[in-house]
Amino acid sequence: MADLYADIIVDIAHEKLDKPFQYRIPEKLRGCVEAGMCVMIPFGNGNTLRKGYVVGIGTTCKFDPAKIKEIVGPAKSEPSVEEKMVALAAWIRRNYGSTMIQALRTVLPAKQSVKKLEHKRIVRCMTREEIISLLGEAQRRHQNAKVRLLTQLQDQEVIPYEWVTGKLGVSAACIRSLEAAGAVRLEVSTSFRNPVRLNEVSADTRQLSADQQFIVDQVLKDYDDGRRGTYLIHGITGSGKTEVYMELVAQVIKRGKQAIVLIPEIALTYQTLLRFYRRFGDRVSVMNSTLSPGEKFDQCERAKNGEIDVIIGPRSALFTPFPSLGLIVMDEEHEGSYKSESTPKYHARETAVEAARLQNASVVLGSATPSLESYYRALRGEYRLFRLTRRLTGGKLPQVHIVDLRRELREGNRSIFSKKLQELLADRLEKGQQSMLFLNRRGYAGFISCRSCGHVMKCPHCDVSLSEHRGNWLICHYCGYRIPKPPVCPECGSKYLLGFKAGTQQIEEKLKELFPGIRTLRMDADTTGTKDSYEKILSAFANGEADVLIGTQMIVKGHDFEKVTLVGVLAADLSLSVGDYRAGEKTFQLLTQAVGRAGRGKLAGEAVIQTYQPEHYAVVHAAEQDYEAFYEEEILYRELSGYPPAAHMVAVQVFAKEESKGKDLADRLADVVKSRVDVELPFAERILLIGPAPACVGKVNDVYRHVLYIKHKDYSRLVEMKDLLEEAFSRWKPQAVSIQFDFDPMNTL
Ligand code: ADP
Ligand code: ZN
Ligand code: ZN
C-alpha cells in the first residue's frame, strides 16, 4: 500500500497557515488521521514533541522519503479553544467545500499590526443642568441640530463622533461651536474600547413580561440541567425578543460563561448597541466592519483573555475564541447575510449550532419571519419553538389594501401608482403625515410578465421564471431550457409582454410630476455610497425633512418612524417571479416587514401592495401578517419540488476564461454525478442532477460561469458527491478553470 502523508501546521496562526510541514502517517494511525485533527509530532533538530494540526492528506511525498518524520499519535489533552476552532474549520470544510487552509482562514483572526484606526468621541464637559439650560436656549433659537446633540448629551457623557455626524445629522461646525462654548471636548483614541460612557450606569433591567420570563426560564432550566439546545423565538418586531436575549446573556454570564450575539450588519445600529452597553458596560464589545483587521485581532485576544463576556457582531463574530462559551444568540436568523458569499460558503446558523456543540453552548435564534429551515426544524422538534405575540411598544397593525395591477391597466391607468395609492398619498400630504414607497430591486433579474393578465413566463421543467437574454431568448437558469421570446402573451394574446424596469429615480420623478412641490428622499445603492449616508437619510426622514421616503429593501429594516402612516409597495411581484425557489419566502419577508413599517406610532397606518398576482399566497398572507398560513403553503411547495429544507441541493459552479473549457469541465463533472445515480433505487431516493447550464449571470469580468445542481434529501449524500467531484477535479488538474460549491444556495446562481 502506498504511504500516506499529512500536511501539518505547527503554529496555529492565520499568517502561518501557508507553511505546513509534511509528516508520514504510520501504519497504525491509517484511517484515523483526518484534516482538522490535532496530533503530536517530533519537531526541529531536537525532535521535541509538539502539537500540530492536520490540514491535508496526500500520497505524494514532497521531501526525501528517507528523512521524513512520522506522526507520533493523536494529542490527548483537553482541547483548547484553538483546537475547537480548528475542529470547527474542519467541519466547515467538509460541509461546505473548501480547502482546509481556506476554512482555517475563516475561523482564525488575522494577526496584524496594521495602523489602528482613530476613534473620535465627543465628551461632555458640563453638568447635566448646564446642558439643559443650553438646550433651552437652542430650542428658543430653533437650532435643530444643536437641540438634537444636547438632548443626547443629557443622558450620555460620551458619544461616538461618527454617530453624531451620521445618525444625528449634526455638522462638524455645530460640534465646534459647542466645543468653543466649553460644553464638550473631542477625544481621540486608538484603542477600540467601549465607545459609550453613560451618565450613571442606569442598571437597565426591566421586569420581563410573563411570556418573556417563560422563555428565559425554560432555556435556563435546560441549561442548568446540562441540556444544550437550539431554540427559536418567533416574535413580531417589538415583541421583546432583544430583552429576552439580554436576560439570557446576563444569566449565562452569572454562571461564569460568555456569549456571542449575532446581528445582521445592517441592524447593528447604535440603538441596539446602546441597550447592550447599558446592560453590560465594559464587558461587551462590538465586532463590525468598521474595525480594522488589527482591531479585530485585538478583540479576539481580549475575548480569549477573559476581558469581555459578550461580543456583538455580524456573521464572523461567531468565531470569537471565548474560553468558556455558554450561549450563541442569532437575531433575525432568516437574514440572507448570514450566508457567506465567498468560499467556504458557510451558513452562520448551521455553523453556530456546530460551534455550540463543540463548545457546549446553547443557541437561541429569533425572527419575526423565521426562515423555512428553522421553522421546519422547530416543528419537527429539532429546535424548541417559543412565540411572542404581543407588541410591547403599542401601535396597531395597519390596514392593508392589495391592488391588482392588471385591473389598473384594464381601467386605463398606466401610471406606476395605482388609484388607491395616489388617493392615499394625497391624503397624507394634506394631513402632513409621512409615507414610504418601497421598490423591490430584486426585479432586475430580467423576468418577463404580461402586463395585461399577469402571466409569468416560466420554465416547464423547473417551476422558476425564465430570464430575458440578448437576442430575444428566454432562458432557465436552473436547467438551461431556452425558447425564443414570444411576440404576444401565450395566455391572453396581449402585446404587453415586458420586463419590469423601474428604478427608484424614475419613481421619484413620476412622484414629483404627480404632486408638484412634494419633498422626497431617496435611498438606494446610488444614494448610500458613503459610510454614513444610510443613517443620514434615515435621520433626515425621522426629522421630518421629507414627505416621502423612496427606497429599495434597505428602508424596510429597523428604525421606527412615528409619523409614517402609509407604506406603498410598488410591485410586490418583482421578487416573486425571479427564477429562485426562495422567491416566495423572500417576498413574504419583505412584504411583512414593509407593511409593518406603517402605524408604529400613535397614528393608525395603512399599506398598499401593488401586484400582478393578488391571489399569490405570499402576498395574501403577508397582507394578513400570518406567518403560519404562509409557512404551510410554502413548505408544501418545497416538499413537492424537493427544495430545502425538505431536501437539499448543492450548486457546483465552474469558472473559466474560455467558455468551451468551462462547459467541458461542467459536462465532465456532470458525468461523474451521473455515474453515481443508482437507477435501481426508487426515484425519490436517487441523486438528482440538474444542468449543467450557463449561470444566471453567465459572464463576469470575462470569466464564464457554468453551474450544475445536485439534489438529494440527505445532506450527507451531497457531501459525498462534493468529495467525489473535488477528488476528480484534483486528479484531472484542469488548467485555467476553477470550481466552487454552494450548499443550499440563497440565490439562483
Ligand atoms: P424585538 O427585539 O422583538 O423587536 P425589543 O426587545 O426591542 O423587541 O422590545 C421592543 C420594545 O419594548 C423596546 O423598546 C423594549 O425596551 C420594550 N420592552 C421589551 N420588553 C419589555 C418589558 N418586559 N417591559 C417593558 N418594555 C419592554
Ligand atoms: Zn397575458
Ligand atoms: Zn428549467
Side-chain angles (χ1 to χ4, degrees):
M1 221 191 321
D3 274 342
L4 276 184
Y5 302 92
D7 287 327
I8 292 176
I9 288 174
V10 179
D11 185 2
I12 193 75
H14 203 274
E15 68 279 14
K16 301 248 170 80
L17 293 181
D18 288 330
K19 299 181 205 106
F21 297 89
Q22 206 177 29
Y23 284 80
R24 193 187 346 253
I25 302 178
E27 207 69 42
K28 61 173 172 123
L29 292 180
R30 264 173 186 262
C32 60
V33 172
E34 54 184 18
M37 204 171 150
C38 182
V39 292
M40 298 310 288
I41 42 162
F43 191 72
N45 291 334
N47 277 338
T48 39
L49 270 195
R50 287 190 63 177
K51 257 186 200 173
Y53 301 88
V54 179
V55 295
I57 290 171
T59 48
T60 31
C61 185
K62 296 169 200 157
F63 303 102
D64 180 357
K67 286 191 188 149
I68 200 157
K69 299 176 191 172
E70 280 195 348
I71 294 176
V72 174
K76 292 231 170 54
S77 54
E78 182 67 15
S80 63
V81 201
E82 268 98 357
E83 283 163 46
K84 286 177 185 167
M85 286 296 159
V86 174
L88 186 60
W91 181 89
I92 289 176
R93 183 198 66 85
R94 179 156 173 74
N95 282 280
Y96 296 103
S98 72
T99 65
M100 190 62 200
I101 305 284
Q102 284 172 321
L104 282 169
R105 284 197 190 290
T106 305
V107 306
L108 298 174
K111 187 177 198 164
Q112 281 185 17
S113 49
V114 289
K115 189 178 141 274
K116 297 202 169 179
L117 299 177
E118 285 190 345
H119 297 279
K120 268 202 260 181
R121 325 191 290 179
I122 290 167
V123 182
R124 190 177 97 186
C125 310
M126 287 180 168
T127 64
R128 192 160 186 272
E129 288 63 42
E130 287 170 316
I131 292 288
I132 290 172
S133 95
L134 278 183
L135 177 62
E137 196 181 313
Q139 273 163 343
R140 276 191 300 281
R141 295 192 191 163
H142 301 286
Q143 295 166 319
N144 290 337
K146 218 176 232 178
V147 168
R148 289 200 293 277
L149 178 52
L150 287 167
T151 308
Q152 209 64 37
L153 282 169
Q154 279 182 68
D155 302 319
Q156 251 173 276
E157 287 177 28
V158 179
I159 314 177
Y161 188 84
E162 306 90 65
W163 191 68
V164 173
T165 52
K167 170 75 173 82
L168 286 181
V170 174
S171 68
C174 174
I175 297 170
R176 272 197 301 276
S177 83
L178 281 176
E179 199 181 3
V184 297
R185 69 186 155 80
L186 276 179
E187 201 180 86
V188 180
S189 78
T190 48
S191 74
F192 186 82
R193 295 289 138 111
N194 188 343
V196 192
R197 207 178 306 147
L198 297 160
N199 205 8
E200 295 96 36
V201 172
S202 39
D204 201 31
T205 39
R206 289 174 195 285
Q207 185 67 39
L208 293 185
S209 72
D211 294 350
Q212 289 171 315
Q213 191 62 48
F214 177 75
I215 301 176
V216 171
D217 290 346
Q218 295 293 312
V219 174
L220 286 175
K221 181 167 187 324
D222 280 355
Y223 195 88
D224 291 336
D225 289 349
R227 284 190 300 272
R228 302 290 182 266
T230 302
Y231 308 86
L232 172 64
I233 305 176
H234 174 208
I236 53 170
T237 314
S239 62
K241 296 186 294 298
T242 308
E243 212 65 39
V244 171
Y245 306 150
M246 290 201 294
E247 181 60 20
L248 283 170
V249 169
Q251 291 295 335
V252 161
I253 293 173
K254 242 190 203 164
R255 287 158 175 76
K257 307 283 180 180
Q258 301 87 39
I260 294 170
V261 179
L262 301 179
I263 290 182
E265 180 94 38
I266 199 161
L268 203 57
T269 58
Y270 191 68
Q271 244 69 35
T272 312
L273 293 183
L274 200 58
R275 289 172 70 183
F276 278 87
Y277 285 132
R278 286 219 167 101
R279 184 85 178 251
F280 302 106
D282 275 335
R283 304 295 296 174
V284 59
S285 201
V286 190
M287 179 99 74
N288 63 21
S289 59
T290 65
L291 295 186
S292 69
E295 287 170 318
K296 281 188 187 159
F297 182 76
D298 266 11
Q299 300 283 59
C300 284
E301 289 296 295
R302 294 180 66 208
K304 211 157 70 181
N305 300 335
E307 289 172 41
I308 51 173
D309 298 317
V310 193
I311 194 130
I312 308 180
R315 198 171 68 214
S316 60
L318 183 57
F319 307 116
T320 308
F322 278 118
S324 184
L325 187 71
L327 177 70
I328 301 174
V329 170
M330 189 173 196
D331 192 27
E332 315 230 26
E333 61 84 26
H334 63 276
E335 272 289 317
S337 63
Y338 281 124
K339 177 94 187 266
S340 167
E341 283 171 357
S342 54
T343 302
K345 296 180 178 175
Y346 71 93
H347 198 298
R349 190 194 315 116
E350 321 311 323
T351 310
V353 172
E354 177 63 14
R357 194 187 65 77
L358 286 166
Q359 301 178 77
N360 201 27
S362 289
V363 179
V364 172
L365 311 169
S367 174
T369 50
S371 63
L372 265 264
E373 275 83 356
S374 294
Y375 209 73
Y376 183 73
R377 291 191 190 131
L379 293 186
R380 285 153 49 109
E382 283 175 56
Y383 300 169
R384 175 143 182 216
L385 180 64
F386 295 111
R387 290 195 176 85
L388 287 175
T389 49
R390 264 182 331 121
R391 181 175 273 177
L392 296 165
T393 38
K396 280 197 288 292
L397 286 178
Q399 188 192 352
V400 184
H401 312 272
I402 298 178
V403 173
D404 184 346
L405 286 173
R406 298 167 302 187
R407 216 167 103 196
E408 291 285 316
L409 186 77
R410 268 201 306 276
E411 288 167 4
N413 178 12
R414 298 242 188 104
S415 151
I416 40 182
F417 308 109
S418 61
K419 291 239 174 59
K420 185 79 196 171
L421 186 55
Q422 291 185 23
E423 180 191 304
L424 293 177
L425 274 168
D427 173 74
R428 297 313 191 258
L429 279 175
E430 198 166 294
K431 288 182 186 151
Q433 295 173 359
Q434 290 180 307
S435 309
M436 287 167 91
L437 291 180
F438 169 62
L439 178 75
N440 218 330
R441 208 175 45 88
R442 291 181 49 80
Y444 289 115
F447 85 96
I448 299 293
S449 72
C450 171
R451 289 299 164 75
S452 186
C453 76
H455 177 72
V456 175
M457 298 295 297
K458 283 192 170 176
C459 172
H461 309 295
C462 303
D463 197 31
V464 297
S465 60
L466 296 168
S467 296
E468 190 174 23
H469 280 242
R470 256 176 303 138
N472 259 347
W473 284 98
L474 301 183
I475 299 183
C476 169
H477 291 302
Y478 275 56
C479 72
Y481 171 87
R482 56 164 65 200
I483 48 163
K485 185 181 158 192
V488 294
C489 171
E491 278 300 302
C492 73
S494 152
K495 62 183 193 305
Y496 291 105
L497 193 63
L498 300 167
F500 194 100
K501 293 222 173 66
T504 45
Q505 202 171 347
Q506 198 189 341
I507 290 165
E508 188 176 36
E509 282 161 18
K510 294 271 189 260
L511 195 63
K512 289 189 158 151
E513 274 171 31
L514 207 57
F515 302 104
I518 194 168
R519 298 172 307 151
T520 58
L521 276 167
R522 185 157 63 83
M523 185 142 113
D524 51 32
D526 294 341
T527 59
T528 52
T530 58
K531 197 165 141 259
D532 297 330
S533 42
Y534 172 78
E535 292 277 359
K536 254 183 202 149
I537 295 170
L538 291 179
S539 65
F541 190 57
N543 291 333
E545 288 165 35
D547 306 305
V548 182
L549 175 62
I550 304 159
T552 53
Q553 43 262 61
M554 295 176 194
I555 65 172
V556 304
K557 306 244 149 95
H559 285 269
D560 281 348
F561 300 107
E562 295 241 316
K563 277 198 227 141
V564 171
T565 58
L566 175 63
V567 166
V569 181
L570 292 172
D573 324 68
L574 285 185
S575 67
L576 262 185
S577 301
V578 294
D580 183 348
Y581 72 92
R582 289 185 199 266
E585 181 177 7
K586 286 174 188 165
T587 301
F588 177 80
Q589 288 164 352
L590 282 169
L591 292 180
T592 307
Q593 282 176 331
V595 166
R597 296 282 94 196
R600 279 293 169 86
K602 289 179 196 75
L603 305 164
E606 274 177 288
V608 176
I609 297 177
Q610 303 191 156
T611 171
Y612 292 102
Q613 299 168 69
E615 65 292 327
H616 193 289
Y617 61 91
V619 175
V620 172
H621 298 317
E624 293 160 350
Q625 306 261 302
D626 187 347
Y627 178 84
E628 274 80 12
F630 165 75
Y631 175 84
E632 267 169 39
E633 296 208 37
E634 181 67 18
I635 200 69
L636 205 62
Y637 155 67
R638 303 280 178 100
E639 270 163 0
L640 285 174
S641 35
Y643 284 123
H648 295 283
M649 64 199 287
V650 56
V652 186
Q653 286 176 281
V654 176
F655 301 84
K657 282 257 185 214
E658 267 176 67
E659 192 172 12
S660 63
K661 271 198 175 160
K663 189 176 178 310
D664 280 354
L665 182 66
D667 286 340
R668 288 177 79 190
L669 292 170
D671 287 340
V672 172
V673 178
K674 278 181 209 151
S675 74
R676 291 304 175 108
V677 177
D678 188 350
V679 289
E680 308 273 285
L681 287 175
F683 190 74
E685 283 164 41
R686 278 184 227 164
I687 281 185
L688 206 63
L689 169 73
I690 303 163
C696 205
V697 185
K699 188 166 88 166
V700 177
N701 286 333
D702 287 324
V703 174
Y704 288 90
R705 301 170 168 202
H706 287 84
V707 63
L708 48 126
Y709 291 91
I710 314 168
K711 285 164 78 168
H712 196 270
K713 64 180 176 10
D714 291 332
Y715 196 94
S716 59
R717 291 303 308 280
L718 298 179
V719 170
E720 282 168 26
M721 292 312 294
K722 176 216 58 174
D723 290 345
L724 215 61
L725 295 180
E726 264 180 349
E727 196 260 326
F729 185 81
S730 64
R731 222 171 345 107
W732 299 336
K733 295 196 179 62
Q735 296 300 302
V737 281
S738 63
I739 55 173
Q740 279 185 14
F741 297 93
D742 192 345
F743 281 80
D744 291 349
M746 302 303 282
N747 300 303
T748 309
L749 303 171

